[in-house]
Amino acid sequence: MHLDDLPLAEFAFPGPLRDKLVGAILSGAKTSTTGLLVGYEHADEPLPEVGQLSAVVDSAGRRVAVIELTDVRVVRLADVDLSHALAEGEGDESVAQWRAGHETFWHSAELRAELGDPDFTVDDDTLVVTERFRLVHIA
């Protein structure tokens, strides 16, 4: 396994949020993440698969760790459970708190620009991709 040969796992956009998330991965606190299905569709990217290895990158673009996907599901936003929210390792104590933080990110100008939709919003029926992973290697 060579870090340079693995696909990238990018959490949020480069900056303070990414740095926080990468730190949580490296500490073992973060073992799950959630993305928008529409993001994969917009980028014409396949959904991640169980067993896939990825190189986690920090805000400077350095490959700092390897993670392995252990579970991938597509669910309604309203169906994300507390276990998943807690495993995101961001300090949320309820699904409502987790969702509020994610909605702030998903409604950000940066994400809306990436999707090409300045009015993009999520609701209970928005499909999200929940991923669970394990830390395999720290560079």
Side-chain angles (χ1 to χ4, degrees), residues 114-136:
E114 185 175 270
L115 293 176
D117 182 353
D119 300 317
F120 176 79
T121 58
V122 298
D123 61 28
D124 283 351
D125 292 323
T126 299
L127 294 178
V128 296
V129 181
T130 63
E131 301 173 43
R132 293 222 180 220
F133 55 85
R134 69 180 188 94
L135 182 61
V136 174

Side-chain angles (χ1 to χ4, degrees), residues 15-44:
L17 180 56
R18 178 177 289 177
D19 294 338
K20 174 185 173 186
L21 299 177
V22 169
I25 292 167
L26 296 176
S27 76
K30 182 172 182 62
T31 59
S32 73
T33 193
T34 309
L36 296 167
L37 180 61
V38 69
Y40 288 94
E41 294 170 345
H42 181 77
D44 198 27

Side-chain angles (χ1 to χ4, degrees), residues 3-135:
L3 278 162
D4 292 336
D5 297 332
L6 296 175
L8 299 181
E10 298 177 281
F11 292 82
F13 296 105
L17 180 56
R18 178 177 289 177
D19 294 338
K20 174 185 173 186
L21 299 177
V22 169
I25 292 167
L26 296 176
S27 76
K30 182 172 182 62
T31 59
S32 73
T33 193
T34 309
L36 296 167
L37 180 61
V38 69
Y40 288 94
E41 294 170 345
H42 181 77
D44 198 27
E45 291 181 5
L47 291 180
E49 297 180 7
V50 170
Q52 179 178 324
L53 297 174
S54 301
V56 176
V57 295
D58 64 13
S59 289
R62 293 182 301 250
R63 295 168 185 247
V64 298
V66 176
I67 57 173
E68 177 184 11
L69 291 180
T70 60
D71 187 63
V72 178
R73 297 175 191 212
V74 176
V75 300
R76 292 172 56 243
L77 180 56
D79 296 331
V80 173
D81 63 20
L82 181 59
S83 172
H84 182 82
L86 295 175
E88 289 226 11
E90 297 177 42
D92 298 320
E93 297 176 357
S94 68
V95 172
Q97 187 179 19
W98 169 88
R99 182 167 169 169
H102 279 69
E103 285 188 15
T104 297
F105 177 75
W106 290 330
H107 295 159
S108 70
E110 264 183 311
L111 188 79
R112 286 174 170 168
E114 185 175 270
L115 293 176
D117 182 353
D119 300 317
F120 176 79
T121 58
V122 298
D123 61 28
D124 283 351
D125 292 323
T126 299
L127 294 178
V128 296
V129 181
T130 63
E131 301 173 43
R132 293 222 180 220
F133 55 85
R134 69 180 188 94
L135 182 61

